[in-house]
Amino acid sequence: MHDIRFIRENPEAFDAGLARRGLAPLAAGLIALDEERRAVTTQVQIAQSRRNEASKLIGAAMAKGDKDAAEALKAEVAALKDEMPALEARADELAKHLKEALEIIPNLPGADVPDGGGEEENVEVSRWGTPREFDFTAKEHADIAPALGMDFETGTRLSGARFTFLRGGMARLHRALGQFMLDVQTGEHGYAECNPPVLVKDEAMYGTDKLPKFAEDSFGILNEAKKIEIETDALNASIKSDGEALIDFLDLTRLIRKNVEDVDAITESDNYPALVDQLDDMLAAYEKRLLDRVKRSNEIEEREALARKSKQISSLYLIPTSEVSLTASVMGELLDEAALPMRLTALTLCFRSEAGAAGRDTRGFIRQHQFEKCELVSIVKPEDSEAEHQRMVRAAETILERLALPYRKLLLCTGDMGFGARKTYDLEVWLPGQGAFREISSCSNTGDFQARRMNTRYRVAGEKRTEFVHTLNGSGLAVGRTLVAVIENYQNKDGSVTVPEALRPYMGGLEVITPQ
């Protein structure tokens, strides 16, 4: 979330940052909206102040016996009382519009982030390791792993596309990778291990910039009350259009019947009784339909009111990454400076709808709806965030190096960074079966962007002032993609896969996974 005060004071700099993201200038519109909000808020404050003052003067006027003055003051108070609700409603409406406008604007890129329109303009910073030379044609993991226990067919049959059922050696190797990552990050890099919920409220998703911008990329779990709310909205919209049309038709039907009754020539006709009966039937049918709709609406509204009373209206979301749970664990808090930096890690299931990746990586284990990831989160003072970013990237690199997996480090350009990031490094691992580097970790510094949405600050030691913290997040690593990298880099000609030495203690000393 952006600071409107910064935008007011630095409109050119704000628009310049947006331009680097490929966006049109927005500062002028935001400032105009904020000025209107502030003006109306001032009107509310002036009216409230005058109302309080006039209320006090009424008593003084009565004490002096000046009834005319007292009555005039009473009239003024009453007028202000009538005027203020509309002003307050307008102020709230403008504040809501400003918030909605600000919350969908991405973070501004850091000064050292390269400009560019897409991934082809990312900057390679370094490479580590030498790709293995095979004495046979290296295969992709999707061609090797099914014989080793990576069961795509069962996963699809159980849950649909982009789900996989792991068995035997594949399941064990997957578990070993996750445990290895946690041990390295907690034992060597000082991250505190956590086991957070994978279902979170929308406030947590909003605070970590996943809502409202990326709702379609997430799996939401609607409770009964939320379903009622949605059904009520849909029904009310239907009643507003269809119901009004029914009422218009009823009025028209009544008018036709009345006109027919007033025409002697028609009333004497043999067709008149049948016509009246037909109109009466239509009238009764539409009246019943309308009453049924109103009844249903009332029932739903009663149930919705009950749900609201029980405070059950919030929806829950399956986390797309435990960045959400870990970062939001300090949502709304005022931290002591001595508690910083906070370094948190968790190995959790993650869930993504991959709405924006239709048609990409449909084969294999690279892009799944459900996957595991060892997440790294840091919460630090502003002056420490750049150094912490480098430290986090190094923690992710360590896993790849211990597994002897060749990789490269990229500094993402402005056109390829995520919504909440001000600077991002990607690590891409070499996949010999594909003959390409593929992303396996993304480490981002969001600055105070998430902290403002979460309202998370720290108290500066020895001072009364507070400041927003900086938050950082990264993968250390994505377990499924690391499994893919191990399979492809450690494959053997006979279809088996050698277990990397670093993982053998987690595999009971097993050195090779052979086809089942």
Side-chain angles (χ1 to χ4, degrees), residues 36-56:
E36 185 180 0
R37 177 192 65 82
R38 294 167 72 193
V40 175
T41 301
T42 299
Q43 287 181 272
V44 172
Q45 293 169 345
I46 292 172
Q48 181 64 60
S49 177
R50 177 54 188 166
R51 180 181 171 186
N52 294 340
E53 181 185 14
S55 297
K56 293 178 182 177

Side-chain angles (χ1 to χ4, degrees), residues 164-461:
T164 304
F165 195 117
L166 298 182
R167 306 175 186 272
M170 284 292 96
R172 190 175 185 183
L173 184 57
H174 186 274
R175 173 166 56 88
L177 281 165
Q179 290 179 322
F180 167 68
M181 292 171 188
L182 270 183
D183 285 351
V184 172
Q185 304 302 358
T186 57
E188 300 181 24
H189 297 120
Y191 287 90
E193 184 173 351
C194 305
N195 188 359
V198 297
L199 277 170
V200 297
K201 295 180 180 178
D202 46 12
E203 293 95 326
M205 291 284 283
Y206 176 86
T208 51
D209 65 60
K210 306 301 177 282
L211 292 179
K213 187 74 172 176
F214 302 106
E216 67 173 6
D217 293 322
S218 303
F219 286 109
I221 307 298
L222 296 181
N223 59 30
E224 185 63 24
K226 194 68 174 180
K227 292 178 183 177
I228 294 169
E229 182 182 40
I230 293 172
E231 184 180 352
T232 301
D233 289 343
L235 182 59
N236 286 340
S238 173
I239 288 175
K240 183 177 180 181
S241 58
D242 191 28
E244 289 177 358
L246 290 177
I247 292 171
D248 290 341
F249 180 81
L250 293 176
D251 290 340
L252 178 62
T253 305
R254 291 189 181 98
L255 179 62
I256 292 172
R257 193 178 190 282
K258 182 177 184 301
N259 289 338
V260 168
E261 289 173 344
D262 288 344
V263 180
D264 291 338
I266 294 183
T267 57
E268 294 173 359
S269 168
D270 293 339
N271 293 331
Y272 174 70
L275 177 61
V276 172
D277 289 344
Q278 184 179 4
L279 289 173
D280 283 342
D281 290 344
M282 292 175 66
L283 180 64
Y286 276 106
E287 283 179 337
K288 182 178 184 301
R289 183 178 174 187
L290 184 59
L291 289 173
D292 285 346
R293 282 181 172 272
V294 172
K295 182 179 178 181
R296 282 185 61 209
S297 179
N298 289 338
E299 289 175 352
I300 290 173
E301 287 173 357
E302 289 173 3
R303 291 169 63 201
E304 183 184 29
L306 179 62
R308 289 185 186 279
K309 186 176 180 181
S310 302
K311 297 181 180 180
Q312 296 174 339
I313 203 63
S314 293
S315 57
L316 294 174
Y317 287 86
L318 288 163
I319 58 171
T321 161
S322 56
E323 167 204 341
V324 173
S325 306
L326 297 177
T327 307
S329 67
V330 296
M331 182 168 54
E333 291 194 16
L334 177 58
L335 305 170
D336 289 330
E337 183 176 359
L340 304 177
M342 294 177 62
R343 299 186 178 109
L344 310 174
T345 187
L347 175 65
T348 67
L349 285 169
C350 306
F351 304 87
R352 296 183 187 176
S353 70
E354 298 291 357
R360 296 173 56 191
D361 299 312
T362 56
R363 184 171 180 266
F365 199 57
I366 287 181
R367 197 178 297 275
Q368 300 280 285
H369 288 312
Q370 172 186 310
F371 59 96
E372 288 186 35
K373 184 152 67 84
C374 180
E375 185 69 14
L376 307 176
V377 164
S378 294
I379 300 157
V380 302
K381 295 185 292 184
E383 60 266 30
D384 295 336
S385 66
E386 176 57 30
E388 185 69 17
H389 195 192
Q390 301 299 327
R391 184 184 190 278
M392 177 178 286
V393 174
R394 185 64 201 138
E397 289 176 318
T398 301
I399 302 299
L400 292 168
E401 292 173 13
R402 295 286 177 83
L403 296 173
L405 295 173
Y407 69 92
R408 66 178 182 177
K409 178 166 69 174
L410 303 176
L411 176 60
L412 299 195
C413 70
T414 54
D416 198 34
M417 286 198 308
F419 176 81
R422 77 173 191 181
K423 183 178 181 180
T424 299
Y425 288 102
D426 271 8
L427 301 181
E428 294 185 344
V429 68
W430 175 252
L431 297 183
Q434 294 189 16
F437 285 99
R438 297 299 303 269
E439 179 193 336
I440 198 167
S441 174
S442 188
C443 298
S444 297
N445 184 350
T446 73
D448 63 5
F449 189 78
Q450 292 180 331
R452 288 183 180 277
R453 297 171 80 98
M454 297 189 301
N455 191 27
T456 302
R457 299 171 176 264
Y458 75 98
R459 184 183 291 105
V460 180

Side-chain angles (χ1 to χ4, degrees), residues 117-179:
E119 62 181 19
E120 64 281 352
E121 296 177 81
N122 293 335
V123 176
E124 184 172 320
V125 177
S126 61
R127 292 195 182 200
W128 184 93
T130 302
R132 171 186 167 191
E133 294 185 5
F134 291 83
D135 57 4
F136 58 92
T137 301
K139 296 181 180 179
E140 293 191 37
H141 74 283
D143 297 318
I144 306 166
L148 303 174
M150 187 173 283
D151 188 344
F152 298 117
E153 291 184 4
T154 300
T156 300
R157 188 169 67 251
L158 289 173
S159 306
R162 299 191 190 276
F163 288 94
T164 304
F165 195 117
L166 298 182
R167 306 175 186 272
M170 284 292 96
R172 190 175 185 183
L173 184 57
H174 186 274
R175 173 166 56 88
L177 281 165
Q179 290 179 322

